[in-house]
Amino acid sequence: MSEGRDDGADAPFNMARYSVGVAAELTPDKPALLVIADAERSQPTETWTFAELEDAVLRVAAALRDRGLQPGDRLLIRLDNTSTFPITFFAAIAAGLIALPASSLLTAAEAEFLLADSGARAVALAEGLPRGEIPAHVDVLSEDDLRAMMAHRDRGTYADTRRDDPAYLIYTSGTTARPKGVLHAHRVAVGRAPTYQGWYGISAADRMLHAGAFNWTYTLGTGLIDPWANGATSIIFTGEKSSEIWPGLIAKTGATLFAAVPSLIRQILKYAPPGPIDVGALRHGLVAGERPPSDLFEAWEQRTGTPLYEALGMSEISTYVSSCPGAPHKLGTTGRPQPGRRVAILPVDGGTTPLSAGNEGLIAVHRSDPGLMLRYWNREDETLDVMRGDWFIGGDICVMDEEGYVTHLGRANDVMNAFGYRVSPQEIEAALALYPGVAEVACSEIQVRDDVSIIAAFVVEAAGSAIDVDRLKAFAREQLADYKLPREVFIVAQLPRTANGKIKRSALAGSVLSKSMT
């Protein structure tokens, strides 16, 4: 699957052709995408061959151009987890636009921010999702519009883009009150190649079932970009999701690879009937997005007879450290740097000289890695902040042993993890601070069991106020996507602070006076 791929920085290179077009040339009649709506029957309601997939992508690309969209224009994609989502995503990239995948869970206010911050010229919007205010100059495309565009009279061609041209923009939480856009180039598809054998052990014979939503880079990469780049089949489940349905889906669809967050794996094991779990032809499972409990790997293998392989990554670089069939899981570690990656542990307090094995520091990836983002959208200062010489530093504290295995020790900043999504405490705090009677608020991730952590909010009431916690939570639901909501709200007398007056998040749990359980 290397034909027409890496031709140099100045040669034409389009990510959509890399992921879809080459397989359409080599194996046009092979199933690329299976859509499953009924977990009981597990029979596809839609089957797209690579030739059919490419045809739909290129016709939508032509239709987008006919609507006046120009190379570099941003297309915000707010669609449900259906086949329309990936077709629209790759069509935008094929047309030379910048695709902006977003969650269907966003509130109207969050969607308005993405539109304004990205300067999107068009939005693909599923019926029933909160719209917010959409400026008159923004072209709104319904799912019906997009389906009709798949039968557009003209079949387009792949735009004459280059490796370093922007391909897609995805918003992620950082250490600010608003999400920031991570801009990736077309070359990111090539940059993901180390995952093929460094994590998946994938081949064209595989069938990948991913449990996540397409707006998430984990699902976009692991569930679509990488399988299709290898000529493998991707499987989507669009029905009602619960932990009980996944073993049957894995077995009945013939999935050979299954990707999920560790919390879902834990729920599958918890709610499956006692004893062995039939996973059919599955070779192994893949986990990323959150830190798994240490006993998860052994428990999964005992019940399913298959191993789990873990990866560490982030929106800016995708996954870059992982275990895999050739480098099995080592207790307490995430894995080793994927072949071809230049990864080092740097001192927390500065410097570019990698630390020796056994020393804790900030994990860093060399800036020459083709999978590294171009920059943060319209945030030059923040882009500079994550670069140290020739190294990108994402904020993870790690230690590497003599064998190259990496142990993840936590975050150097305040970014939290909610169901595999990175969430900024400042973003939640900014929303809750708008509620009447809130004098101060701070958020933190707290451990409620050995293997479960949640987001909690700690609120100081203004003088003379008595906050109704249920109403505060209802207010939060109007401002924030569900996965960002604090699962517990605590009313506290004051927030713990450092000597310099900064909020001491590690001490928040000890400041509780009263609490409300969700």
Side-chain angles (χ1 to χ4, degrees), residues 120-206:
R121 277 275 294 108
V123 55
L125 183 62
E127 185 177 355
L129 296 185
R131 291 173 58 101
E133 292 294 327
I134 299 178
H137 70 275
V138 175
D139 191 5
V140 180
L141 306 171
S142 69
E143 190 142 9
D144 287 343
D145 291 332
L146 293 163
R147 287 285 180 182
M149 292 163 74
M150 294 177 199
H152 190 65
R153 64 182 182 278
D154 296 324
R155 175 184 161 107
T157 57
Y158 294 103
D160 189 21
T161 51
R162 299 298 190 268
R163 287 169 55 94
D164 288 335
D165 289 340
Y168 70 90
L169 176 66
I170 192 153
Y171 278 75
T172 181
S173 288
T175 54
T176 57
R178 289 290 195 177
K180 56 189 174 186
V182 177
L183 185 64
H184 276 291
H186 285 262
R187 60 173 159 75
V188 71
V190 174
R192 298 185 59 87
T195 65
Y196 299 166
Q197 301 309 317
W199 185 22
Y200 313 139
I202 198 170
S203 75
D206 277 310

Side-chain angles (χ1 to χ4, degrees), residues 39 232 242 318 336 354 364:
S242 66
S318 73
R336 296 192 294 195

Side-chain angles (χ1 to χ4, degrees), residues 401-463:
D401 67 17
E402 295 284 356
E403 295 180 285
Y405 277 89
V406 173
T407 299
H408 185 254
L409 302 174
R411 296 283 299 173
N413 55 33
D414 296 325
V415 175
M416 304 177 294
N417 195 299
F419 305 105
Y421 292 91
R422 293 171 65 204
V423 179
S424 164
Q426 289 89 344
E427 183 181 358
I428 302 174
E429 291 160 4
L432 297 183
L434 299 173
Y435 188 76
V438 173
E440 290 186 298
V441 58
C443 293
S444 179
E445 187 178 354
I446 63 172
Q447 203 83 16
V448 293
R449 293 202 305 269
D450 288 343
D451 59 350
V452 177
S453 60
I454 62 170
I455 292 175
F458 300 79
V459 176
V460 177
E461 296 170 320

Side-chain angles (χ1 to χ4, degrees), residues 334 362 379 411 447 497:
T334 297
L362 288 165
R379 299 196 187 190
R411 296 283 299 173
Q447 203 83 16
R497 297 183 182 277

